[in-house]
Amino acid sequence: MDTRQWMAILLCFATALMLFVSFLSYRKRHLQVARTMIYMMVAASCYAIGYAFEITGESLNSVKLSLQLEYLGIPFVSAFWLLLVIQFTGLAVRHRKWLAILLFIIPSLTFLLHLTNDWHHWIYEEYVLNVNGAVPLYNTVKGPWYAVHAVYNYTIMLLGILLFVPMYLRAMPIVRKQILVLILGAAVPMLFNIGYMFSKVIDFTPFGFAVSGLVYAWGIFRIRLLRLTPLAYAKMFDTIRDGVILLDYEGQIVNHNRAAEDIFPELGWTKSFPVSGKDMLSACPELLERIAETKYKDERFALQRVLDDRLRHYICSLTYIYDTGTSPIGQMLMFNDITELKENEERLREKSQRLSQLNAFKDKLFTVMAHDIRDPIALLVSLTELLGEEPTDTDIAKAEVFQEIRRQVRGTHNLVDNLLDWYRSQNGEVAFRPQSWNLQQVVRQALSLAGARAGMKKISITERIDDKLAVNADKEMLDLIFRNLLSNAIKFTEIGGSIEVNAAMEGELVTVSVSDNGIGIDERTAELLRHDEMFFKEPGFASGEEGGEMRFGLVLTREFLRMHGGSLRFEGLSGQGTTFIFTLPGAIGSGGNERKAG
């Protein structure tokens, strides 16, 4: 068996091997790269089988016919390979269609020129018989377009390899193996072709494609070449919602995903990697300290960063990466954003605190309902029973009973009003409509309502307010404030006492004081008022025990004053009278611009 026959058998084997790779790729034909691999291997197999027919041909016509078969693949193999590289690296996704058209212009022209070569001889100028009887039977003299096609092939092969370089530097180990397989599969035929360009004797390029077939088949079976491409790995890496940063054994950042750029915007500003991890993560010194403190041990710890004026919370996982041995080759930092969880916890904590306060208020409210409302009503029942009996007393005695009934009903009514107003203020149901009011008129209206009760105890009330003084307040709230303060002053002033209401302008605020010479505020109530709490005194309203009165009206007064931007304070000691002082926004009016209290 001579040399030609051995070479033809090897070329047939190479063709079969490349068709086998095409079959393996066809099983993955739903992938774009697999379809491109099919076209590339079919083109290379046409090259190989055509060359087998060329070296076994016995005439010039058979050689030319074999070359026509070869040129079904020769012009297109390198173009398909560059297209495969573009698909793997994910470049020019939007313009890939036009890029493919431009990529195949020269190969298509080469095919057409060879098909019509006998007319113009741009590919092969002539065919020279090999007189020594060596392989091949005819040597070809290359035309001008052959050089153009050769330069084009080498250019795009080198361009494809250069496109792989940045991806190789950033890729994971499994992806790097795939890139090496693709580069090796393209480099071997190119090296064989370079040898042919210098020797001009035997073209071993098809045998190089046989090596490529072996390499690609190994890659498909061993490293899943057509299951997940580097682009798919990169997309999978980038679509992870957690931020991931990869560091090598020298502490340099070699890769990261898009989520990591949201945590460290500096990563997005860097154009080339690797970069120093200390420089890139310098904004988080606590993170660098944790990385430095770890000694080949995986860790999880909390991390906080302020991004866009918002405090972000992360759970950081530090994991060492090992190759086949026991020595680490790098580290992986993964950042799980738990900001929403933390903020939800804070909101739940606030709601829980609010519920606790409402529950405490409910308990106190039930205490009030059980003692300070139930007891007066029970007393009213007893008094009405007395009225139902046979009259044994004089009319004066009956009048005293009726006066007591009247006092109890009035007190209970005021208490219920205060409770209702306070509840509405806490739930945002009170309409706040501040207007300018003449303060003297408002006070005189409140005094006219409280005058009857003060007269029963022979208490004198004095008002000293400028008739041009005005306040900016909600009328209903202002009436309630004066009603509560005057009611307290009358209630805790002895028979024959006195009450004074004064007001003065201090800056942009009007300061109003309600003073009495009564029994004063006891220490327990004073302490609760100073601490700004909702306070209720111990039960005893109906029994008349010392200190048994409830001061709930002060809570409501203070709340309404806060809504106006004012404040409430008091002066005095137990047994020495009390002065309540509050402020409201006001002004010195001309007498006609403010509303008069009716």
Side-chain angles (χ1 to χ4, degrees):
M1 188 176 293
D2 59 13
T3 303
R4 292 184 181 182
Q5 292 174 332
W6 277 112
M7 290 181 65
I9 292 173
L10 290 176
L11 288 169
C12 289
F13 173 75
T15 302
L17 185 59
M18 287 183 283
L19 290 176
F20 177 67
V21 174
S22 299
F23 170 73
L24 295 178
S25 302
Y26 181 78
R27 297 170 61 183
K28 307 294 182 183
R29 61 188 180 278
H30 60 281
L31 298 174
Q32 197 175 40
V33 290
R35 295 194 297 271
T36 305
M37 177 69 78
I38 294 172
Y39 302 145
M40 185 175 68
M41 288 291 99
V42 169
S45 63
C46 290
Y47 188 5
I49 193 65
Y51 193 56
F53 289 139
E54 180 186 352
I55 62 177
T56 58
E58 299 294 339
S59 64
L60 181 59
N61 288 332
S62 63
V63 170
K64 288 183 177 181
L65 185 60
S66 300
L67 284 172
Q68 295 291 355
L69 180 58
E70 290 178 49
Y71 269 80
L72 288 174
I74 288 176
F76 303 104
V77 174
S78 56
F80 279 124
W81 186 80
L82 181 59
L83 183 60
L84 186 72
V85 173
I86 292 173
Q87 292 169 351
F88 262 71
T89 55
L91 297 174
V93 177
R94 296 182 179 179
H95 310 288
R96 192 169 294 169
K97 180 179 178 181
W98 292 105
L99 187 61
I101 293 174
L102 294 174
L103 192 62
F104 282 91
I105 290 177
I106 292 182
S108 299
L109 287 175
T110 303
F111 173 76
L112 293 175
L113 289 174
H114 182 270
L115 193 64
T116 59
N117 185 70
D118 290 341
W119 300 347
H120 47 72
H121 302 289
W122 279 24
I123 302 295
Y124 298 119
E125 292 182 353
E126 60 178 322
Y127 302 89
V128 181
L129 180 64
N130 193 339
V131 294
N132 297 325
V135 179
L137 182 61
Y138 283 88
N139 291 327
T140 56
V141 179
K142 309 302 187 292
W145 189 262
Y146 189 91
V148 173
H149 176 61
V151 172
Y152 172 78
N153 280 343
Y154 292 138
T155 300
I156 63 175
M157 294 293 286
L158 290 174
L159 179 60
I161 294 174
L162 291 176
L163 291 177
F164 268 141
V165 171
M167 176 169 279
Y168 179 85
L169 296 176
R170 293 170 57 94
M172 296 177 288
I174 183 65
V175 178
R176 289 185 174 184
K177 292 178 181 179
Q178 291 185 357
I179 295 174
L180 288 176
V181 165
L182 291 172
I183 292 176
L184 181 61
V188 174
M190 184 174 68
L191 293 175
F192 280 22
N193 190 260
I194 291 174
Y196 170 67
M197 294 296 293
F198 283 100
S199 66
K200 303 292 184 180
V201 180
I202 301 176
D203 187 4
F204 287 102
T205 305
F207 296 99
F209 283 113
V211 177
S212 298
L214 287 173
V215 172
Y216 291 150
W218 178 84
I220 291 172
F221 283 111
R222 296 290 296 177
I223 60 174
R224 303 183 178 186
L225 182 61
L226 297 178
R227 292 193 179 183
L228 277 180
T229 67
L231 177 60
Y233 275 109
K235 286 186 176 180
M236 179 183 67
F237 185 59
D238 279 336
T239 53
I240 297 175
R241 297 183 63 183
D242 295 339
V244 181
I245 297 177
L246 299 180
L247 299 95
D248 61 13
Y249 63 93
E250 294 179 345
Q252 296 189 97
I253 297 177
V254 296
N255 203 355
H256 68 280
N257 64 351
R258 293 179 181 176
E261 294 181 4
D262 296 333
I263 307 171
F264 298 96
E266 301 88 348
L267 295 171
W269 305 336
T270 305
K271 297 182 179 179
S272 61
F273 288 87
V275 295
S276 173
K278 291 184 178 180
D279 296 337
M280 191 59 60
L281 306 178
S282 59
C284 285
E286 64 275 16
L287 176 60
L288 294 175
E289 291 178 4
R290 296 300 293 263
I291 296 174
E293 292 173 357
T294 56
K295 300 297 182 181
Y296 308 114
K297 182 180 179 182
D298 297 346
E299 282 196 8
R300 284 172 60 88
F301 51 89
L303 181 69
Q304 296 180 353
R305 282 212 73 183
V306 177
L307 298 171
D308 298 329
D309 297 329
R310 183 184 181 189
L311 181 62
R312 313 286 300 194
H313 301 268
Y314 302 94
I315 293 295
C316 182
S317 300
L318 176 62
T319 306
Y320 278 86
I321 303 173
Y322 297 87
D323 202 358
T324 55
T326 58
S327 299
I329 61 173
Q331 296 169 301
M332 179 176 69
L333 288 171
M334 182 171 289
F335 302 89
N336 182 19
D337 192 342
I338 58 169
T339 303
E340 293 292 337
L341 180 61
K342 285 288 187 180
E343 291 177 349
N344 289 337
E345 288 181 356
E346 185 63 28
R347 283 192 288 268
L348 288 175
R349 190 177 297 110
E350 292 176 358
K351 290 182 179 179
S352 177
Q353 184 178 2
R354 177 64 176 167
L355 288 174
S356 299
Q357 293 176 350
L358 291 176
N359 190 54
F361 168 71
K362 177 205 66 175
D363 295 339
K364 293 180 179 180
L365 184 60
F366 282 147
T367 301
V368 174
M369 299 293 290
H371 296 279
D372 292 335
I373 296 180
R374 183 190 60 187
D375 291 350
I377 294 177
L379 182 58
L380 288 175
V381 173
S382 299
L383 293 174
T384 53
E385 289 177 354
L386 290 175
L387 291 177
E389 296 178 356
E390 290 294 330
T392 57
D393 299 324
T394 63
D395 293 339
I396 297 176
K398 289 183 179 180
E400 292 178 354
V401 172
F402 275 112
Q403 290 296 332
E404 183 64 18
I405 293 174
R406 186 177 180 183
R407 188 177 68 84
Q408 294 291 339
V409 170
R410 185 187 298 111
T412 305
H413 179 264
N414 290 337
L415 173 61
V416 172
D417 273 349
N418 285 338
L419 285 173
L420 181 59
D421 288 340
W422 185 88
Y423 175 78
R424 290 171 60 199
S425 70
Q426 293 297 305
N427 286 275
E429 297 178 3
V430 174
F432 180 59
R433 302 185 183 90
Q435 294 180 5
S436 179
W437 296 93
N438 185 283
L439 183 60
Q440 185 185 71
Q441 296 294 328
V442 173
V443 171
R444 289 182 178 179
Q445 181 181 354
L447 293 179
S448 65
L449 296 175
R453 293 187 60 195
M456 292 176 62
K457 298 178 68 174
K458 299 181 180 180
I459 297 174
S460 63
I461 302 179
T462 305
E463 166 259 315
R464 296 187 179 91
I465 299 177
D466 190 342
D467 60 354
K468 293 184 178 181
L469 201 59
V471 293
N472 189 30
D474 183 281
K475 183 59 168 59
E476 293 184 4
M477 294 184 184
L478 192 58
D479 289 341
L480 184 142
I481 291 169
F482 279 111
R483 185 174 72 240
N484 280 322
L485 293 179
L486 290 172
S487 176
N488 276 331
I490 294 171
K491 188 180 299 181
F492 296 103
T493 300
E494 301 292 343
I495 296 174
S498 62
I499 298 174
E500 291 186 4
V501 181
N502 297 297
M505 193 71 188
E506 297 181 1
E508 296 182 354
L509 297 177
V510 173
T511 302
V512 183
S513 64
V514 179
S515 306
D516 64 70
N517 60 354
I519 62 175
I521 298 180
D522 61 279
E523 290 298 328
R524 173 61 177 165
T525 303
E527 185 67 21
L528 291 172
L529 185 59
R530 291 190 187 101
H531 285 79
D532 198 21
E533 297 180 2
M534 294 187 304
F535 55 89
F536 300 87
K537 299 193 67 179
E538 295 299 325
F541 176 83
S543 60
E545 298 175 0
E546 181 71 19
E549 192 62 66
M550 184 196 70
R551 299 290 182 89
F552 185 76
L554 295 179
V555 178
L556 190 60
T557 299
R558 183 178 58 198
E559 191 72 22
F560 283 171
L561 286 171
R562 283 178 178 171
M563 294 177 67
H564 286 80
S567 62
L568 175 69
R569 68 181 190 273
F570 71 96
E571 298 175 354
L573 299 173
S574 179
Q576 299 181 10
T578 307
T579 299
F580 278 95
I581 304 169
F582 64 90
T583 58
L584 287 171
I588 298 294
S590 61
N593 293 330
E594 64 276 357
R595 292 175 178 265
K596 302 291 184 179

